[in-house]
Amino acid sequence: MTRHRFAAAGAGALALLVLGAGCTQTPREPRVNQNEQSRLLEEQAQSRREAAQRRAEAETKYRRGLSLADRGRTKEAIDEIRGALALFGRIEGGYNNLGLLLMEIGEYGAAAEAFTIESQLDPTDPRPLHNLGVVYMRRGWPKDARSYFEQSMQRDRNYQPALRGIVAAADLLRDADEETLAIIRRAMLHETDEQWLVYIQRQRYRVEQQMQASRSL
C-alpha cells in the first residue's frame, strides 16, 4: 500500500511539473548596455597601458641602478633598484642583485630577504640560495650556510660556487662523512681555479683522515 501511495504522489508531482513547464516562457537574453561594455573595455585597456608604463619605468630605473653600482655608488644604486622593484617586482635577477649590493654595505638581514624573494620568484636559479649561504657564512653560521648551499645544488648539482661553499662550510664544521667526501670529489672535477683546487684537495685529505680515524676507534 505504501508503494502505491508514493507512486501516486510522484505522478501528481510530475503532472504539476508538466503543467508548469507549459506555462513557463523562454528566458530572454540579458540586454547588453553598450555604454557600460565600452567603459569596461576602456578601463581594461587603460590598466594594461599603465602596467606597461610602470614596467618600462622600472626597467629604466633598474638599468640606472646597475650603472651606479658599476661606478661604486652602492647606496644610490640600492635606492634606484628598490624603486624599480617597487614599480615592477618581477625584474629578472632584480632581487638577487639588490641582495648583493646590500651585502656590500653590511645589511645582511635585508640582503637575506632579497635573496629569499628571488629564490621564490625563480625556483630554478641556484644563485639566490647560494648567496643566502654566503650571508650565513659571513655571520658565523656555517651549518645554516651549508644547508643553503645544498639547496642551491639541488637546482644545479654542478654549480661551482655552491660546491665551494659546501667544502668551506664542512671545513669550519669539521664534517667528515661519505656525503661530504662525494661533494669534495665533485668539486675537484669542476674546479678551474688553482688556489681553490689546492684548498679542496687539502679538504679531501682531511676528510679521509678523519673518516679513517673514526673507523679505527
Side-chain angles (χ1 to χ4, degrees):
M1 292 298 293
T2 302
R3 184 178 70 251
H4 294 302
R5 186 168 65 250
F6 277 109
L14 180 60
L16 287 172
L17 284 172
V18 171
L19 288 172
C23 297
T24 302
Q25 296 181 351
T26 303
R28 296 178 180 178
E29 290 291 326
R31 296 182 64 183
V32 178
N33 186 319
Q34 295 296 330
N35 290 336
E36 180 65 12
Q37 185 178 48
S38 297
R39 185 185 66 79
L40 291 173
L41 289 173
E42 176 55 31
E43 285 182 358
Q44 291 172 0
Q46 180 64 23
S47 179
R48 286 193 294 269
R49 287 193 294 269
E50 290 174 354
Q53 184 177 353
R54 284 196 303 273
R55 180 169 184 172
E57 184 179 347
E59 289 173 347
T60 298
K61 286 179 73 66
Y62 181 65
R63 288 192 297 270
R64 187 160 55 241
L66 294 180
S67 177
L68 288 166
D70 288 340
R71 287 178 277 160
R73 296 162 63 178
T74 305
K75 290 188 176 181
E76 293 174 72
I78 289 170
D79 290 339
E80 283 293 323
I81 292 175
R82 275 178 165 159
L85 292 169
L87 287 169
F88 183 72
R90 298 189 69 88
I91 297 174
E92 184 178 356
Y95 280 100
N96 189 64
N97 286 329
L98 175 61
L100 292 172
L101 291 171
L102 289 165
M103 272 207 299
E104 282 187 25
I105 62 173
E107 292 191 17
Y108 292 104
E113 290 178 9
F115 293 138
T116 300
I117 293 170
E118 184 71 35
S119 72
Q120 294 167 348
L121 290 175
D122 187 351
T124 65
D125 189 350
R127 294 175 301 171
L129 288 171
H130 163 264
N131 292 333
L132 267 170
V134 173
V135 168
Y136 280 87
M137 282 287 279
R138 292 189 180 181
R139 304 315 287 169
W141 293 310
K143 185 174 181 179
D144 297 284
R146 175 167 178 166
S147 175
Y148 283 115
F149 293 140
E150 288 173 345
Q151 290 176 56
S152 174
M153 264 185 52
Q154 289 172 9
R155 296 183 175 188
D156 182 350
R157 68 190 302 269
N158 297 322
Y159 185 53
Q160 188 183 65
L163 289 167
R164 290 174 174 176
I166 293 174
V167 174
D171 182 12
L172 292 173
L173 294 165
R174 311 312 288 170
D175 288 340
D177 50 43
E178 291 293 344
E179 181 184 359
T180 300
L181 186 58
I183 291 171
I184 287 173
R185 287 171 176 164
R186 190 184 307 160
M188 289 179 64
L189 289 174
H190 294 276
E191 189 52 63
T192 56
D193 183 275
E194 186 63 29
Q195 288 185 324
W196 267 102
L197 185 58
V198 170
Y199 171 72
I200 293 170
Q201 287 173 332
R202 286 203 306 268
Q203 292 308 305
R204 184 191 69 175
Y205 178 77
R206 174 190 66 79
V207 170
E208 289 174 342
Q209 292 293 75
Q210 282 186 235
M211 290 175 65
Q212 185 177 352
S214 297
R215 285 193 292 267
S216 64
L217 292 177

